[in-house]
């Protein structure tokens, strides 16, 4: 497995709060889960808790605080998003050994109308 950390700078030029919740990692090197569906990787919950979490008084681990990914109107933030890439998610057993940032894109979307945006990593 590999952990891919993506730093994302986000500015909210709108009038209402937005969030960075719907950012995914994609690559042509990933196996598609079902024909026609995009091959995406969600940010790792455990790694997000390690980066942005706060101690939980009721349990011996960290939890993500409410609104950890909120971007207020007029605010700009840089978030680090951790993605775990497993060997068996890739096309070819040796693909993990030759991966580079150029093999990945950050993917997000909006619903009305449905529009998918991809941004190559550098």
């Amino acid at each position: 497995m590999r952990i891919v950390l993506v730093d994302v700078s986000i500015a909210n030029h709108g009038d209402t709060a937005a969030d960075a919740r719907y950012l995914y990692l994609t690559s042509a090197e990933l196996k598609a889960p079902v024909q026609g569906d995009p091959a995406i990787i969600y940010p790792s919950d455990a790694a997000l808790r390690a980066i942005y979490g706060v101690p939980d008084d009721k349990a011996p681990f960290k939890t993500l605080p409410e609104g950890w990914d909120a971007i207020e109107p007029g605010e700009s933030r840089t978030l680090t998003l951790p993605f775990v890439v497993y060997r068996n998610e890739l096309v070819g057993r040796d693909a993990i050994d030759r991966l580079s940032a150029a093999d990945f894109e950050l993917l997000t979307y909006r619903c009305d109308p449905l529009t998918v945006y991809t941004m190559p990593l550098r």
Side-chain angles (χ1 to χ4, degrees):
M1 73 178 238
R2 298 283 190 266
I3 296 177
V4 178
L5 299 173
V6 179
D7 289 331
V8 180
S9 295
I10 303 171
N12 182 352
H13 299 290
D15 296 332
T16 59
D19 62 55
R21 186 170 317 202
Y22 303 105
L23 294 168
Y24 311 100
L25 195 66
T26 188
S27 172
E29 298 290 331
L30 293 171
K31 294 177 188 174
V34 177
Q35 191 171 8
D37 286 350
I40 60 173
I41 299 173
Y42 296 84
S44 164
D45 286 339
L48 283 172
R49 286 192 303 271
I51 296 170
Y52 297 105
V54 294
D56 186 332
D57 295 338
K58 299 178 184 124
F61 54 81
K62 293 182 177 181
T63 59
L64 285 171
E66 183 74 27
W68 72 271
D69 61 347
I71 315 295
E72 296 300 322
E75 181 183 16
S76 295
R77 290 182 59 196
T78 298
L79 296 171
T80 298
L81 300 176
F83 299 92
V84 178
V85 181
Y86 294 96
R87 182 181 300 274
N88 65 351
E89 294 176 323
L90 300 169
V91 177
R93 292 280 303 158
D94 65 337
I96 201 162
D97 298 323
R98 55 183 163 72
L99 286 177
S100 73
D103 294 318
F104 294 101
E105 294 178 320
L106 200 60
L107 181 144
T108 191
Y109 64 91
R110 66 179 208 180
C111 291
D112 192 18
L114 180 59
T115 309
V116 176
Y117 302 95
T118 58
M119 299 152 276
L121 302 186
R122 296 186 214 165

